[in-house]
Amino acid sequence: MKKRMLLTVPLALGLFASPANASVMQVSVDNKAVTFNTNPLVKENVTMVQVAPIFRSLAISFNWDQQKQQISAVKNGTKMILNVGSRTAYINGQPMRMPLAPTLINGNVFVPLRFVSEAAGAKVNLSGSRISIISANTSSSPNSTDKSEYTNTDTHQETVNDNAAVLEPSEDSIREFLYTYYDTLSTSDSEYEVDYKVKIDTKNKYTVTILLDNYESSGTLYSETKKDGYVMYDLTEEFAFDIAKTFGIHTLYINVSLAPVFNERPEGISSDQISRNDNGSWILLQSLINGSYDFSKKNSQFYDLIGANPKLIASEKWE
């Protein structure tokens, strides 16, 4: 297995920069232009805007908790909680997944425009570089948010079917595809260089195992999932949809093999699950997270395997 290093990727303005010749997005609410200190930014086809100007224009009351890096807001009985760095928003206490996480840029909090607008009951229309928002006097659920804003590539917007396959699926061909296009996987906070195992059983069950051979990165990723299970979609969604389209796969199972470090040898662990470092510490090799994408039923879920029973940490349905 290759030796690799964890690369931390800070959120920076450059990540959201548009091409120099791109038109600046113009945003209006009820036909009144919204004035921003910093122009709206576009990343992965998602428009991000400063939270204060857009919330004021939509008559959304809000508070900013500097210590928690958290926004709490309310509009017509709909309560929102957004956390910087997390794609999980809470709408009236229910977790909802945003297309991108809120982020701090030059001291300003930027949020996904469509998500927060529709969470407040508004309607959003896009025409070229102009975004027109019609506010609402009644609350509504963000469940109607366009799935296209939740995707990173065009492959996500297509229904997977047998005609989509352009390559013959095999363990070798899928693994080669992953190494060619996805040797690095990312969450909102970190970037991981990975290895893969691919298994196709006699019932045509397709399983991709993500191998993290850097023990520090194993712990980092598991810590991220403990805080927010939806980071698993940041890590896997793009390559899962890409594999589905490229190979015509209807269901893909995913395992993540992590390697936590112990100062003393854990009891009750078989020798094939554990190895010892040169410094005397012990590494437990175990699949800690698994999940699946069912492209026919248009749903997915991930489970934390630590503990007596698997624990659901993230699930999503799409249209």
Side-chain angles (χ1 to χ4, degrees):
M1 187 179 293
K2 300 182 290 296
K3 278 293 178 185
R4 291 174 166 176
M5 298 178 61
L6 171 67
L7 302 175
T8 301
V9 182
L11 288 171
L13 181 59
L15 292 177
F16 289 87
S18 298
N21 60 352
S23 298
V24 174
M25 302 303 292
Q26 303 294 323
V27 180
S28 66
V29 174
D30 296 332
N31 296 320
K32 294 182 180 180
V34 181
T35 302
F36 299 99
N37 294 331
T38 302
N39 288 330
L41 308 170
V42 178
K43 181 187 178 185
E44 298 173 9
N45 295 321
V46 178
T47 301
M48 304 286 287
V49 297
Q50 288 176 271
V51 67
I54 194 62
F55 274 22
R56 293 190 184 110
S57 296
L58 289 168
I60 300 174
S61 301
F62 69 98
N63 291 301
W64 165 247
D65 189 318
Q66 177 67 29
Q67 184 175 2
K68 293 183 179 180
Q69 300 280 280
Q70 183 181 86
I71 302 162
S72 56
V74 63
K75 170 70 180 290
N76 293 330
T78 297
K79 298 179 181 179
M80 289 181 273
I81 295 178
L82 313 174
N83 295 286
V84 170
S86 173
R87 292 176 70 176
T88 302
Y90 293 89
I91 310 299
N92 291 332
Q94 297 298 311
M96 302 292 295
R97 187 164 177 265
M98 293 181 285
L100 290 176
T103 186
L104 274 170
I105 300 176
N106 295 332
N108 295 308
V109 181
F110 281 70
V111 295
L113 174 61
R114 180 182 290 276
F115 184 92
V116 297
S117 299
E118 293 186 345
K123 294 183 179 180
V124 181
N125 296 302
L126 172 64
S127 177
S129 62
R130 297 182 180 274
I131 300 175
S132 175
I133 302 172
I134 305 300
S135 64
N137 294 322
T138 58
S139 62
S140 69
S141 167
N143 287 333
S144 60
T145 301
D146 188 349
K147 173 66 180 174
S148 64
E149 280 223 15
Y150 284 75
T151 63
N152 295 324
T153 65
D154 291 340
T155 61
H156 295 224
Q157 301 175 31
E158 300 182 22
T159 302
V160 177
N161 54 58
D162 292 335
N163 294 328
V166 296
L167 295 177
E168 181 68 25
S170 69
E171 293 179 357
D172 289 340
S173 63
I174 294 174
R175 185 167 53 248
E176 182 178 354
F177 179 85
L178 287 166
Y179 278 127
T180 300
Y181 298 105
Y182 296 99
D183 65 335
T184 300
L185 299 177
S186 301
T187 66
S188 60
D189 292 329
S190 304
E191 186 173 282
Y192 301 91
E193 292 188 0
V194 298
D195 288 314
Y196 295 99
K197 286 185 178 180
V198 178
K199 181 176 178 57
I200 305 174
D201 66 14
T202 56
K203 296 182 179 180
N204 282 330
K205 177 181 177 180
Y206 296 84
T207 301
V208 170
T209 299
I210 300 169
L211 301 172
L212 294 163
D213 58 357
N214 182 295
Y215 303 125
E216 181 182 357
S217 65
S218 299
T220 300
L221 179 57
Y222 188 65
S223 295
E224 286 191 71
T225 62
K226 293 293 286 185
K227 294 178 182 178
D228 182 0
Y230 283 88
V231 301
M232 289 307 301
Y233 290 108
D234 298 339
L235 193 76
T236 66
E237 186 177 62
E238 184 172 351
F239 85 67
F241 276 85
D242 207 357
I243 288 175
K245 180 183 179 183
T246 302
F247 295 96
I249 296 172
H250 291 277
T251 304
L252 180 67
Y253 296 88
I254 294 175
N255 293 324
V256 180
S257 292
L258 306 183
V261 178
F262 297 87
N263 292 326
E264 297 181 358
R265 191 187 195 285
E267 297 180 357
I269 303 298
S270 62
S271 59
D272 62 339
Q273 291 182 290
I274 197 165
S275 62
R276 195 171 190 177
N277 277 334
D278 293 338
N279 62 7
S281 61
W282 294 86
I283 302 99
L284 177 65
L285 303 175
Q286 182 181 356
S287 292
L288 301 184
I289 300 168
N290 69 15
S292 64
Y293 288 86
D294 188 324
F295 301 100
S296 298
K297 296 181 179 179
K298 298 184 179 181
N299 62 49
S300 60
Q301 55 278 312
F302 282 91
Y303 292 86
D304 184 341
L305 302 182
I306 296 299
N309 298 300
K311 178 183 177 183
L312 180 68
I313 58 174
S315 64
E316 185 182 56
K317 295 181 72 69
W318 63 88
E319 296 300 328

